[in-house]
Amino acid sequence: MTTRSRFSARLDLENGRVDMSHGAGGRAMAQLIDELFKQALDNEWLSQGNDQALFSVPPGRLVMSTDAHVVSPLFFPGGDIGSLAVHGTINDVAMSGARPLHLAASFVLEEGFPLADLARIVASLAQAAREAGVAIVTGDTKVVERGKGDGVFITTTGIGVVPEGIAISGDRARPGDVILINGHIGDHGIAILSQRENLGFETVIQSDSAALHGLIADMIAAVPDIHCLRDPTRGGLATTLNELAQQSGVGMRIRETDIPVREAVSAACELLGLDPAYVANEGKLVAICPADRAETLLATMRAHPLGAQAAIIGEVVEDPLGFVQMQTRFGGERLLDWLAGEQLPRIC
Amino acid sequence: MTTRSRFSARLDLENGRVDMSHGAGGRAMAQLIDELFKQALDNEWLSQGNDQALFSVPPGRLVMSTDAHVVSPLFFPGGDIGSLAVHGTINDVAMSGARPLHLAASFVLEEGFPLADLARIVASLAQAAREAGVAIVTGDTKVVERGKGDGVFITTTGIGVVPEGIAISGDRARPGDVILINGHIGDHGIAILSQRENLGFETVIQSDSAALHGLIADMIAAVPDIHCLRDPTRGGLATTLNELAQQSGVGMRIRETDIPVREAVSAACELLGLDPAYVANEGKLVAICPADRAETLLATMRAHPLGAQAAIIGEVVEDPLGFVQMQTRFGGERLLDWLAGEQLPRIC
């Protein structure tokens, strides 16, 4: 659709700002969508120009997942709210074993937000979607008054197709199963925090934000009987393990020394009084599989760039109370409880 | 999932308020989801307890649509942000002729927002979904600091199944086609505005917010060859007609005297200097069909409670420039242009 001729002057993407008319449904909104969103996201579904996208799906099982993204700051080492909104929802879809199919994106913009920043975010979102091979097929834009929002919030919703014979769910962990992770924990949370507090660590810690569906496709091909997959985002590894233990009605034993943590993250956590097990990740997954498939799964994960530092970190045990115990680096045992209270607000 | 035992005390739904920990991914968030959201929305998909919902779909064509809802005030005559978020997205899905299947809902909550208001909104959202026969199968909750949001924003995303043989799209209007609407225009916008400005009209004008998929199913059964359907929300009837004219490369001629407007809405518009053709609706649709099917379609619409005041309002004409002309009540002609600027911010 080339509708530029409708508008007297092009959007000023250098110095312009979002104003209330960009959300009013009229000419200004049409211009914002045409010149900023469609330019970046161009695909056959958006070009349908309707309030909904139409596409064919193979028969079978679908999954659907949605996530609001309110990360602050909007730009951080290793990503921004645009790429994060794509990775976060692709990962939630993929953790069922599904192949992500399409994404929808809705934006809540604050009046006065620079169009240049919005263009940068939409370009990043478009690039992340392209790299993942998943199109943004439909979207929406609303504007709220200055002081009623915070720059931009993005909700992405994804759907995906679950392959035949795959049954991955948080309630499938069984005593004897092995627990794996695909790499270092805590990178995303510390990357955000270091920006926010202007901490100026010697090493710039990058967010691990990444789309994991390619890694998961390899894992499923090698070990179709993976029992659980979940991404340890808000609440970190500790909270995710507790969720899975609760949902499956089992306990877990993990070994602190086997959990990969970068030295810089470990040092930052020590300085800030944080436990890396509770710090958010955006490119990590916890996998649980039968013990006799664990070595195969580990080798498959390590063969993928997003799993090079994968490790076996513990086992599922019998425990109807669903406790997660950690063997500490000093040989003791401690309970790894749910995150209580608030550690790092607006991390994703 | 009954996980209440995890929490020391139940949420205080009378006097409690949203705090940052409700978005942190840990125990407080789990409690909010269990005791407030799951209680209200309970269904088999949410009970899966995963970060995504799994379901089967028939083979064929799906549609997907997303809408952020930022309406202010949150509660208004005839609805609230909860029911609106359900109706708005169901309608966007249904305007393709699709049968709505499932919804996802994501919430951005402002720190300090009363839990009692949140519970009321979620109950209303749940009731609207139940009445429409469409489940909220997955969701997400984030919290932003006081002054960085405005109570609650809700993004809903819907998917639906398009029946065989249906091809409804904004680019299908043809010269000679007839344009219909299912009832009075402007009710929603004036209902919101009267609340916001405390205008205290003699008559309380109710929003027309409603899910239109039942009406549309009847319309399609009677006239499978409907060419276009679109809901005139932001920007009102005038903007929707311009969108369709632009997309189809046609002109339109409508008659002001044939457009249903309630007397109270007409009076309010006059007082406020608004044109009802630009005021938002949330339970209205514009339908365009071949001339020889128009009377059948009109009769079918009038037989449904949500189409009792349906009317034929004009015709599609040849015009590559895509102008919408209105014959005024005084016999003159005027151009009904796109909404320019901002008329009523945060109407949906």
Side-chain angles (χ1 to χ4, degrees), chain A residues 91-98 166-173 178-182 212-213 215-220 223-232 240 243-244 247-248 284-289 297 301, chain B residues 49-52:
Chain A
N91 290 347
D92 278 344
V93 166
M95 295 297 149
S96 65
I166 298 299
I168 295 169
S169 175
D171 60 2
R172 290 198 65 217
V178 167
I179 306 166
L180 302 93
I181 191 153
N182 66 317
L212 297 173
H213 59 311
L215 169 63
I216 291 172
D218 288 359
M219 291 166 65
I220 288 172
V223 182
D225 192 29
I226 293 173
H227 287 170
C228 312
L229 287 177
R230 190 161 295 176
D231 48 344
T240 292
E243 284 173 16
L244 295 172
Q247 211 178 329
S248 291
K284 291 297 168 300
L285 59 81
V286 171
I288 298 180
C289 76
L297 190 58
M301 289 165 77
Chain B
N50 293 320
D51 289 340
Q52 69 294 123

Side-chain angles (χ1 to χ4, degrees), chain B residues 179 181 183-185 237 253-262 266 275-277 302 309-315 325-334 336:
Chain B
I179 306 167
I181 192 153
H184 298 108
I185 64 167
L237 175 65
R253 285 182 177 277
I254 62 168
R255 292 171 295 274
E256 190 173 14
T257 49
D258 290 343
I259 301 171
V261 188
R262 287 181 206 283
S266 187
D275 181 339
R302 287 191 171 160
Q309 271 77 42
I312 291 176
I313 60 169
E315 288 80 39
Q325 302 279 354
M326 184 163 78
Q327 189 185 319
T328 69
R329 60 181 74 253
F330 310 108
E333 286 251 322
R334 73 175 175 95
L336 205 63

Side-chain angles (χ1 to χ4, degrees), chain A residues 91 138 173 190 282:
Chain A
N91 290 347
T138 190
I190 297 300
E282 287 292 339

